Amino acid sequence: MTTRLYALAGVLVFLGLMWLYTREFACFSNTIGIKPLLWGSFMVGLALSGGALYLKRDRFSPVSRHYPELIFIMVMSALFAPLFGSLLNRTLGTKTFSEFKFISEKAYIATGYGLLKDEAIKPTGWVLTVNDNNTVRQFRYKKQPYYPISQPGDIISLPVTRGLFGAKVIDLQ
């Protein structure tokens, strides 16, 4: 009976982590410096799981009988490490405002199966395109257009979380 409860708890934890991951994708697309954060998270996740497996090596001996478990632990830790890296980066960061040069703000429509005939078309979200020190960046958000009357070349101020690990997250909803 207890193994079934552990299995159920494991499935519920896995589903909760997947739900968190899907909610974090919006932050991934609005993060400046996401590549080093992702690679660093992968490496830290692998190092931590490798260290934990080394400390519990008696539990996994002989190793030849436990390859599936070891590989599962290493792969899952590498896959979920970016989630925890991004959450730590955002929650322990400092909130400031940064200035960017406005280029455009355009609505977009995202549908799973296309538009139906006579369906009212309304935007799913907006894409803000800005110039950040001669680098063109795009940020996506869903709730409302923030800069409907801005002209290309205007200086705009965006809420930025300067993360714990150096990655900056644009905080548009």
Side-chain angles (χ1 to χ4, degrees):
M1 184 65 173
T2 58
T3 54
R4 287 186 182 195
L5 288 176
Y6 285 140
L8 179 63
V11 168
L12 291 176
V13 166
F14 183 73
L15 289 175
L17 287 173
M18 291 302 294
W19 177 77
L20 274 175
Y21 226 138
T22 57
R23 300 201 32 98
E24 196 69 16
F25 283 145
C27 292
F28 285 160
S29 65
N30 288 347
T31 300
I32 299 172
I34 189 70
K35 286 182 185 178
L37 178 67
L38 291 178
W39 284 110
S41 296
F42 283 135
M43 295 302 129
V44 168
L46 287 174
L48 287 175
S49 65
L53 290 174
Y54 180 76
L55 291 175
K56 293 288 189 176
R57 65 186 176 272
D58 293 338
R59 156 72 175 88
F60 297 106
S61 63
V63 173
S64 62
R65 295 181 65 202
H66 296 281
Y67 280 136
E69 296 168 57
L70 297 172
I71 291 171
F72 178 77
I73 291 170
M74 295 295 283
V75 167
M76 286 297 127
S77 64
L79 287 178
F80 284 104
L83 169 66
F84 296 117
S86 178
L87 286 172
L88 280 173
N89 183 61
R90 247 183 338 115
T91 56
L92 299 177
T94 58
K95 297 184 188 270
T96 61
F97 283 88
S98 291
E99 291 185 345
F100 297 90
K101 190 181 284 188
F102 179 82
I103 296 176
S104 69
E105 181 179 47
K106 295 180 182 174
Y108 70 89
I109 298 172
T111 63
Y113 302 103
L115 296 173
L116 300 174
K117 185 177 178 183
D118 298 329
E119 180 181 5
I121 298 173
K122 67 178 196 174
T124 306
W126 287 266
V127 176
L128 176 66
T129 307
V130 296
N131 188 337
D132 178 28
N133 296 328
N134 295 326
T135 303
V136 175
R137 301 196 187 277
Q138 290 188 332
F139 305 114
R140 293 180 181 266
Y141 45 93
K142 299 220 179 246
K143 289 198 176 178
Q144 65 187 22
Y146 285 99
Y147 303 98
I149 59 172
S150 296
Q151 299 296 319
D154 289 351
I155 301 297
I156 59 173
S157 184
L158 295 176
V160 175
T161 300
R162 295 189 185 276
L164 178 68
F165 303 123
K168 296 186 274 187
V169 181
I170 307 300
D171 295 324
L172 296 174
Q173 300 279 328

